[in-house]
Amino acid sequence: MMSRISRHAPLLLAAGLVYCYPDATRAADEQNRAYEEALATAQRLDDSVEGQAYERELFASIQSQLQRAMNECTSGDTPEHRFRLLFEIESGKVARVLPEPEQPVAACVAQKVSGLPAPAAPGAKWVVSIRMTVAP
């Protein structure tokens, strides 16, 4: 028995793509909004003496794992990558890392370093912004 493709199949496929697109856009908008809010918090905290001191302490404690993640995420890559990562610190660990939107290398690094132990932060929930440059 031979199956036939309905002449409406392309129309149904196009309707399915249109239907899914708003959800993808909404998710991207929410991620961008979360990133922007966390960035504003990190910048506000970094303006304080304790924020600057904690940023140095955090970076020193995760530097080797961060370097390893950057090497893994750029393996075989030749272009330079510049991006920002926002580290949300809670209960003595990196609770979440928000990568700069539209940066695949940043997303890869963020995934690899999320959950690392971190020094005790000056506040219950602390956000630190770290700019990264990966050069070939």
Side-chain angles (χ1 to χ4, degrees):
M1 183 170 175
M2 182 184 244
S3 63
R4 286 185 0 180
I5 297 176
S6 166
R7 64 185 172 108
H8 299 291
L11 180 61
L12 293 173
L13 178 59
L17 292 174
V18 170
Y19 176 75
C20 293
Y21 184 73
D23 290 338
T25 301
R26 189 174 307 115
D29 287 346
E30 288 173 11
Q31 287 176 335
N32 289 344
R33 190 172 20 264
Y35 179 85
E36 292 300 325
E37 288 172 5
L39 178 58
T41 300
Q43 289 171 333
R44 181 179 49 78
L45 294 173
D46 191 45
D47 286 342
S48 69
V49 173
E50 65 184 352
Q52 292 170 11
Y54 185 72
E55 181 179 330
R56 287 189 299 274
E57 184 180 2
L58 174 67
F59 186 72
S61 74
I62 65 170
Q63 184 175 5
S64 63
Q65 295 97 327
L66 194 54
Q67 183 65 45
R68 188 176 321 115
M70 288 172 32
N71 288 339
E72 290 173 10
C73 293
T74 59
S75 178
D77 230 352
T78 54
E80 181 176 272
H81 299 281
R82 293 174 185 259
F83 55 88
R84 182 189 310 255
L85 296 173
L86 303 176
F87 293 80
E88 292 184 347
I89 311 300
E90 291 182 51
S91 305
K93 73 174 187 170
V94 177
R96 183 167 77 151
V97 180
L98 296 169
E100 191 168 346
E102 306 299 324
Q103 293 286 341
V105 172
C108 177
V109 173
Q111 181 182 21
K112 292 183 179 296
V113 298
S114 188
L116 290 175
K125 183 177 180 183
W126 205 262
V127 183
V128 174
S129 169
I130 298 179
R131 283 199 150 290
M132 310 296 303
T133 300
V134 182

